[in-house]
Amino acid sequence: MNIAFYRLPYSDVYSRISCEGSPLVLNSYEELDNLSGFVIAPFLISERTPLVLLPFDGIVCENKTVNTVDMRNDACRVLGEEEDRLTYSSDFVKFHDAVAEGRFAKLVLSRSKRVTMEKIPDLEDLFLYFCNTYPRAMVMLFSTELTGTWLVASPEILVESQQPGLCTIALAGTMPFCEGLPQWSEKNKHEQHIVEKYIEETIAPLSDRVIKDGPRSVRAGSLMHLRTDFRFQPSEGVTIGNIVASLHPTPAVCGMPKSEAREFVLRHESNDRRYYSGFAGPLNMDVGTHLFVSLRCMTIEGNCLTVYAGGGIMPDSNARDEWRETEMKMINF
């Protein structure tokens, strides 16, 4: 059975999609044009991590009310923590050196943490728990024969339909949630500016009109980020596939310049991202299109959860603070 659950931000209902047959495997983002269904995209399309679509035709789709579920589990154990920290420190040196040398304006370094539980909860209950934990996020759980099982609670829109056009956002900078006016560091503000500039320059040639709003501080669980919204009307002949191919991966999950940063990440990052920092969501369905970057996510394999997080590496970054940022992002997992 290939299945997906999703709950839009701030919504009190969620959808369950099941597909009896095999999901569609696509070779490029442009092939998404004129299709409907639930999209699951990796950081990089490959034979091992394909671009997958659960088609809209022939699926069972149900809307259900989100109920409170208590999933507290004290029987958790972190595996290989010291080894993970050493690996991250080694990767940080490579990434920071490349940025400090001026080869990149920014690089994003990710890591993962493995946690075992005595008993993995029912998948739908686990999904509901995250719906309640992250009311402002796009929460998704998908499980297919090609991708494995992933749970996502993402604050970052890649592309979303908002009448009369589309929307995307620049999201960067991280700090613990605080009441009142947050004081953002220069590092965080500069990181947000890089992502914002990239989004603006990327969608300008694809759009007839762009409306920019931000940056502003937004809450995501126990954290805060800087966010700038871009609403735009695609130019004639520009498709959703063109837009996705141009935007993904954004500097918020990869770096700048994009192509060179992606190659650097693939060559030097020890973490196997797979579908972390890809994107997922409904495409051309009754609810419209809501594709979100796959952040705050984990895989579920047997009784082992693998949690993923990353952070932007800038010239003034240090390994201790960046490690702490990834730990903050993993705290509710």
Side-chain angles (χ1 to χ4, degrees):
M1 175 71 75
N2 301 292
I3 195 165
F5 300 90
Y6 69 88
R7 196 284 321 270
L8 297 175
Y10 298 100
S11 177
D12 58 0
V13 298
Y14 69 99
S15 296
R16 173 186 179 273
I17 300 170
S18 59
C19 179
E20 295 291 346
S22 297
L24 296 178
V25 175
L26 308 177
N27 296 312
S28 70
Y29 303 119
E30 285 79 7
E31 291 183 37
L32 294 170
D33 296 336
N34 303 315
L35 295 178
S36 297
F38 190 89
V39 179
I40 305 168
F43 176 66
L44 180 74
I45 298 173
S46 69
E47 185 175 347
R48 191 171 70 91
T49 55
L51 172 62
V52 171
L53 180 85
L54 299 184
F56 186 71
D57 294 335
I59 64 174
V60 176
C61 186
E62 306 171 81
N63 289 323
K64 297 183 178 181
T65 302
V66 174
N67 297 311
T68 300
V69 176
D70 186 357
M71 298 299 298
R72 287 174 295 183
N73 189 318
D74 296 327
C76 296
R77 185 165 65 94
V78 178
L79 303 177
E81 189 169 15
E82 185 59 32
E83 179 185 348
D84 288 343
R85 187 152 197 161
L86 291 172
T87 299
Y88 180 85
S89 296
S90 175
D91 284 355
F92 176 86
V93 171
K94 299 177 208 172
F95 277 59
H96 187 259
D97 284 352
V99 173
E101 291 166 4
R103 295 163 57 191
F104 301 94
K106 171 188 176 181
L107 286 170
V108 176
L109 172 61
S110 76
R111 55 174 283 245
S112 58
K113 175 165 64 176
R114 294 166 295 152
V115 180
T116 61
M117 299 177 68
E118 285 188 356
K119 182 182 179 182
I120 296 293
D122 173 82
L123 290 183
E124 192 163 3
D125 285 345
L126 192 59
F127 166 78
L128 289 173
Y129 173 73
F130 277 85
C131 286
N132 286 297
T133 304
Y134 295 97
R136 299 169 179 81
M138 173 65 149
V139 181
M140 301 175 281
L141 188 148
F142 50 85
S143 183
T144 81
E145 60 202 45
L146 299 173
T147 63
T149 302
W150 291 75
L151 177 62
V152 180
S154 177
E156 183 174 350
I157 299 167
L158 181 67
V159 62
E160 184 173 54
S161 54
Q162 288 189 1
Q163 293 302 325
L166 299 173
C167 172
T168 188
I169 68 172
L171 190 80
T174 302
M175 65 181 293
F177 173 74
C178 64
E179 299 289 352
L181 189 64
Q183 299 298 311
W184 290 98
S185 69
E186 289 304 314
K187 184 257 185 186
N188 278 310
K189 288 189 284 188
H190 183 45
E191 186 179 349
Q192 164 66 9
H193 176 71
I194 290 172
V195 179
E196 182 181 287
K197 184 178 179 183
Y198 164 81
I199 298 290
E200 192 166 19
E201 292 178 349
T202 299
I203 62 175
L206 307 173
S207 315
D208 294 326
R209 182 169 180 248
V210 179
I211 300 173
K212 175 180 168 182
D213 180 20
R216 67 184 190 278
S217 300
V218 294
R219 182 176 180 180
S222 61
L223 302 177
M224 299 185 75
H225 303 291
L226 286 166
R227 168 174 167 164
T228 302
D229 290 49
F230 296 90
R231 292 175 176 82
F232 62 100
Q233 184 68 45
S235 302
E236 185 177 355
V238 173
T239 66
I240 195 76
N242 301 147
I243 294 166
V244 166
S246 297
L247 287 173
H248 176 70
T250 74
V253 297
C254 182
M256 278 294 290
K258 182 171 85 169
S259 296
E260 292 86 346
R262 178 168 47 192
E263 290 304 312
F264 187 92
V265 167
L266 292 170
R267 185 174 301 170
H268 297 289
E269 185 177 82
S270 299
N271 187 40
D272 183 5
R273 294 193 178 195
R274 299 168 62 195
Y275 289 88
Y276 165 71
S277 65
F279 62 90
L283 171 73
N284 296 327
M285 294 178 62
D286 292 344
V287 295
T289 293
H290 302 272
L291 303 180
F292 277 66
V293 181
S294 297
L295 303 176
R296 308 291 195 278
C297 70
M298 67 182 180
T299 60
I300 305 167
E301 300 172 282
N303 71 330
C304 185
L305 311 177
T306 303
V307 188
Y308 295 78
I313 308 302
M314 307 288 287
D316 54 350
S317 297
N318 66 76
R320 182 187 61 184
D321 289 346
E322 296 301 329
W323 174 268
R324 285 177 177 171
E325 180 176 319
T326 60
E327 285 290 294
M328 285 194 300
K329 289 175 178 176
M330 293 175 170
I331 196 168
N332 284 322
F333 286 75

